[in-house]
Amino acid sequence: MDAYDEGSHARHGWTGPGVPGDPAPPSAPPASAPAPADRDDPRPSGAPPTSSAAPPPPDADTPLPEPRTGVAALSLRHQIAAVVALGIVAVVVCAHIGMTFLHVAPANTVSKEHAKTIEDWIYPEFEQNWKLFAPNPLQQDISVQTRAEVLTPDGGVRTTGWYDLSAEDGRAIDGNLLPSHTQQNELRRAWDFFVATHDGEDRPTGMRGTLAESYLRRIMVMRLDRSDAAGPGGVVDRIQVRSRTADVPPPEWSEEEVSTKPVYRTLPWWPVPEDEARGGIG
């Protein structure tokens, strides 16, 4: 019997170790050799490796402090300076509001006792004009005009035509996005000041009447000088002022009827002092 007839071993072969044809059992993987030590690593051989990763982030539930803003972000010295400055501004604002209230409020004990202080604070920069809020606002168009008597170089005298100063201011304001306070209010307030301190006969009604007349005269002379009314070599000797008042026509839908005929108020001739004759400023 040959080897192919020996039972099951003849077909399947030996199962024991060392038998030809039998695969060797798997062996454990060889242990890896330790990596050579880094020459620059100061750690002793065999020391556990250190981690180079960044430290873990803070707990998400812990809120981060918010940065300081505004006055709190300044140093203590600057905080004190800012508080002092704000205190001064607050005091000035409160004083201004109080003075303005006493000026526009009906006469009372406080306003009468401190009238001089209130007027010194209000006039002229903070003067209040409440005509816009009055029950019957102004419905008139008032223009101020002036003319002059000029001494000519040859010894003669000539009279200029009327200069409509209100119309000149109107042309300067028209189309001007930032008109000056002078263009808007100087002439109008000067005339209102004069009318409030003079009667119908153009006579002063109080101590401020002379001041109003002098103020209006200086403005007229300055405007005439600006327009070169005297001409070459001429000198303004006297001036005259007049107002032209006309009612504003009512709207078409209104049944109100008013006269639009202008009314003139002509003041007497005023002599011009020598120190004002060349420009209105002494």
Side-chain angles (χ1 to χ4, degrees):
M1 181 180 296
D2 55 22
Y4 297 101
D5 295 334
E6 294 183 1
S8 62
H9 295 290
R11 293 183 296 146
H12 302 287
W14 298 98
T15 59
V19 179
D22 187 25
S27 59
S32 59
D38 189 354
R39 295 179 181 179
D40 298 331
D41 191 354
R43 294 179 293 109
S45 177
T50 58
S51 174
S52 60
D59 189 359
D61 296 336
T62 303
L64 296 176
E66 297 183 357
R68 295 186 301 173
T69 59
V71 178
L74 301 176
S75 63
L76 179 59
R77 182 178 62 181
H78 290 86
Q79 288 181 2
I80 295 174
V83 171
V84 172
L86 291 175
I88 294 174
V89 172
V91 170
V92 172
V93 170
C94 292
H96 176 70
I97 294 176
M99 293 288 190
T100 304
F101 172 78
L102 292 174
H103 174 66
V104 301
N108 54 72
T109 304
V110 177
S111 62
K112 291 179 181 179
E113 182 177 354
H114 302 283
K116 184 64 170 59
T117 303
I118 296 172
E119 288 186 2
D120 291 342
W121 179 275
I122 294 296
Y123 292 104
E125 288 82 4
F126 305 118
E127 182 181 3
Q128 302 296 315
N129 180 7
W130 297 102
K131 293 180 180 178
L132 177 63
F133 305 99
N136 185 22
L138 286 177
Q139 299 180 0
Q140 294 178 324
D141 183 12
I142 303 175
S143 62
V144 180
Q145 305 170 358
T146 186
R147 65 177 178 175
E149 278 189 357
V150 179
L151 301 179
T152 59
D154 58 1
V157 178
R158 67 178 178 88
T159 303
T160 67
W162 289 101
Y163 289 82
D164 194 337
L165 304 183
S166 297
E168 293 178 3
D169 287 348
R171 287 190 294 268
I173 295 172
D174 189 20
N176 188 351
L177 296 178
L178 298 173
S180 68
H181 179 75
T182 301
Q183 293 169 336
Q184 297 180 83
N185 299 316
E186 181 186 58
L187 184 62
R188 178 180 60 85
R189 296 303 298 142
W191 180 252
D192 289 346
F193 186 24
F194 178 86
V195 173
T197 56
H198 288 71
D199 59 17
E201 301 295 329
D202 303 322
R203 293 173 300 192
T205 57
M207 293 184 296
R208 300 179 66 192
T210 304
L211 176 62
E213 184 175 320
S214 175
Y215 181 55
L216 184 62
R217 185 188 67 242
R218 285 172 177 262
I219 293 177
M220 298 297 108
V221 176
M222 284 192 294
R223 296 292 185 92
L224 290 170
D225 182 72
R226 193 179 303 169
S227 301
D228 195 22
V235 178
V236 175
D237 183 51
R238 296 196 305 170
I239 66 166
Q240 190 175 32
V241 182
R242 74 176 183 182
S243 66
R244 179 186 183 275
T245 304
D247 291 333
V248 176
E252 297 180 356
W253 47 265
S254 175
E255 298 180 355
E256 183 181 3
E257 295 182 1
V258 297
S259 174
T260 57
K261 183 180 179 180
V263 177
Y264 292 90
R265 177 177 179 177
T266 305
L267 306 183
W269 284 94
W270 290 338
V272 177
E274 185 177 356
D275 59 351
E276 298 181 13
R278 299 185 183 274
I281 301 177

